[in-house]
Amino acid sequence: MAHAAPTARARYAADLKQSGRAALARPLALGLIYGVYAAFMKRQTGPVDAGNVFYGILCGVLFAACLFVLARVGPRLPREARAAAYGIFTGIALGYLYSLSGQSVLLSSGIALAAAAGVAVGAFYRYYTREP
């Protein structure tokens, strides 16, 4: 058995070790996309001005910072809490973007709740089947 496959625990530990650039690249890229979309939704077919650009940068930086913190703290949490945290984060982010479109608060909350539940269930399934 000199060439045995690595155990699930060894694969999981290797996945947790990320380099500095790789750990920052994903939140920054997603924050950029989120900020551009938030600025686009806030503009509502009007002219682009400094306020819209600043709003997009602010939304993108906040989104990236929250995602970075969640990615750093997440592996220390139990599966259930981590899945719930990712679900809550997704629900808040998507609900806020949907509210920028001018829809009612109730509809935005419903969309956010549905997205949060879906992401939480999917994340829990992934963590439950892949973690030791």
Side-chain angles (χ1 to χ4, degrees):
M1 289 267 216
H3 299 291
T7 62
R9 186 173 300 274
R11 277 192 312 231
Y12 178 68
D15 287 343
L16 287 180
K17 297 177 186 175
Q18 293 182 357
S19 66
R21 287 186 179 177
L24 285 175
R26 189 175 303 128
L28 287 178
L30 290 174
L32 177 69
I33 293 168
Y34 188 85
V36 167
Y37 192 73
F40 175 75
M41 293 300 291
K42 183 75 170 171
R43 184 174 66 103
Q44 295 182 354
T45 67
V48 176
D49 58 358
N52 291 335
V53 173
F54 179 71
Y55 184 78
I57 292 171
L58 180 67
C59 286
V61 166
L62 287 175
F63 182 88
C66 291
L67 190 58
F68 179 76
V69 167
L70 190 57
R72 286 289 183 187
V73 175
R76 296 184 192 111
L77 295 174
R79 293 185 266 243
E80 298 85 5
R82 188 171 9 155
Y86 276 106
I88 290 168
F89 177 72
T90 302
I92 290 170
L94 290 180
Y96 180 68
L97 282 181
Y98 195 74
S99 72
L100 287 177
S101 68
Q103 298 294 329
S104 71
V105 174
L106 186 60
L107 186 59
S108 298
S109 299
I111 296 289
L113 186 62
V119 168
V121 167
F124 178 74
Y125 176 76
R126 181 182 185 278
Y127 299 141
Y128 190 75
T129 58
R130 305 244 173 131
E131 289 182 0

